[in-house]
Amino acid sequence: MAGALETLEEHRSHGGVQGVYAHASTRTGTQMTFSAFVPGHEAGAKLPVLWFLSGLTCTHANVTEKGEYRAACAEHGVIFVAPDTSPRGEDVPDDDAYDFGKGAGFYVDATREPWAEHFRMRTYIDQELPALLDAHFPADMGRQGITGHSMGGHGALTIALRNPDRFRSVSAFSPIVSPLNCPWGEKALGGYLGANRDAWREYDACALIEDGARLENLLVDQGTADDFLEDQLKTELLVEACEKAGIPADIRMQPGYDHSYCFISTFLAEHVGWHAERLTR
């Protein structure tokens, strides 16, 4: 059963409502915050949902404030949901580094201490938050799409590959495509899950594809001036995995764009429209 929802703020925007909400999570054992934009709609209507998973150091606020998605969501009638990237609170363990601990949940269910109690972002995104959305918003949970940026791109790809019946559309911006093969991923998955790399494969998009998981469609935008492209993101590995598996993927290298929200905001409205084509059929 979905729990109670606290409204932290709501604002009128593009004929709809942009809100920020909080709830007590049974999965993370903490207070969790997310944002949701609900377009204007007729009473009783149910709208498709697009999830946006954010990257390292981010909260729900980054895309909410910088994403420039609301006009497109209002045009296409799509609810836009942005969860936090990790549990928060005084009792939640943390690390001094930006790429581990708070703000760096990597959308996994941790199995190592001291992380296992609270860092359960996989089941939070897979189960708890969708149930809350279904209970409190005019959401058609039979029409869901997912996208994300960097660590959130990794989350979008892996969550979609593990849940092929849940999502009609999948896209990503600058995703970490293979945590098994980059420093960010090795640090996070090793820290949260332990040294057994076989246990990491369900959190690696390329490994999931190699192991038989499939997507019906995929859109990826990656900037060629991204400082993390060569060492951390390794887009070419996803290109190779999709080609080998026969996955219809439009993986676009965008000349001159970096890893920032200046890049994301340039193409996010286009992604919303791309998802809407697949969610409103």
Side-chain angles (χ1 to χ4, degrees):
M1 178 180 291
L5 190 67
E6 177 185 0
T7 300
L8 300 182
E9 57 182 275
E10 287 186 333
H11 308 280
R12 190 73 170 163
S13 180
H14 293 279
V17 176
Q18 174 65 66
V20 179
Y21 308 94
H23 68 107
S25 169
T26 60
R27 295 295 189 270
T28 68
T30 67
Q31 182 96 337
M32 294 295 291
T33 303
F34 67 96
S35 72
F37 175 72
V38 180
H41 58 281
E42 295 182 0
K46 293 285 189 177
L47 306 179
V49 177
L50 177 59
W51 298 86
F52 184 96
L53 306 185
S54 297
L56 288 168
T57 75
C58 292
T59 70
H60 70 279
N62 297 75
V63 71
T64 305
E65 297 170 0
K66 304 175 185 177
E68 300 181 22
Y69 56 85
R70 279 176 283 271
C73 287
E75 177 185 353
H76 296 290
V78 174
I79 296 174
F80 190 97
V81 180
D84 202 349
T85 54
S86 77
R88 313 270 177 180
E90 293 183 1
D91 296 332
V92 175
D94 199 9
D95 189 274
D96 290 337
Y98 77 95
D99 55 357
F100 196 70
K102 292 180 184 178
F106 262 81
Y107 305 99
V108 308
D109 277 358
T111 56
R112 293 188 68 217
E113 298 300 335
W115 314 103
E117 180 180 358
H118 297 294
F119 280 72
R120 306 193 62 78
M121 292 302 294
R122 172 179 176 171
T123 49
Y124 176 71
I125 299 295
D126 276 1
Q127 301 172 19
E128 185 173 19
L129 193 52
L132 198 72
L133 196 72
D134 187 31
H136 294 281
F137 293 86
D140 182 351
M141 304 307 285
R143 294 186 292 161
Q144 296 184 65
I146 191 166
T147 186
H149 171 235
S150 194
M151 178 186 73
H154 139 77
L157 293 175
T158 55
I159 289 169
L161 284 161
R162 292 193 308 262
N163 297 276
D165 296 332
R166 175 178 166 189
F167 298 101
R168 292 192 186 183
S169 55
V170 186
S171 75
F173 295 87
S174 314
I176 302 169
V177 306
S178 185
L180 279 158
N181 293 291
C182 74
W184 277 341
E186 291 182 353
K187 179 177 182 177
L189 299 187
Y192 293 133
L193 305 176
N196 181 5
R197 293 174 67 90
D198 287 341
W200 301 7
R201 294 185 68 84
E202 61 186 322
Y203 297 111
D204 183 298
C206 292
L208 284 165
I209 292 170
E210 182 180 339
D211 293 343
R214 295 293 182 265
L215 298 172
E216 291 187 6
N217 51 69
L218 176 61
L219 173 64
V220 173
D221 277 317
Q222 171 63 59
T224 62
D226 191 322
D227 290 339
F228 303 113
L229 176 56
E230 183 175 347
D231 293 334
Q232 302 282 12
L233 307 179
K234 301 190 176 184
T235 309
E236 74 280 358
L237 297 180
L238 182 63
V239 173
E240 293 169 4
C242 289
E243 288 179 348
K244 186 174 181 180
I247 294 174
D250 188 4
I251 300 176
R252 311 186 301 191
M253 302 302 296
Q254 300 291 1
Y257 285 93
D258 59 19
H259 202 70
S260 72
Y261 268 87
C262 294
F263 163 57
I264 298 168
S265 64
T266 301
F267 298 100
L268 185 49
E270 182 181 348
H271 278 236
V272 170
W274 182 87
H275 283 273
E277 288 180 7
R278 290 151 181 82
L279 296 175
T280 56
R281 292 171 181 168

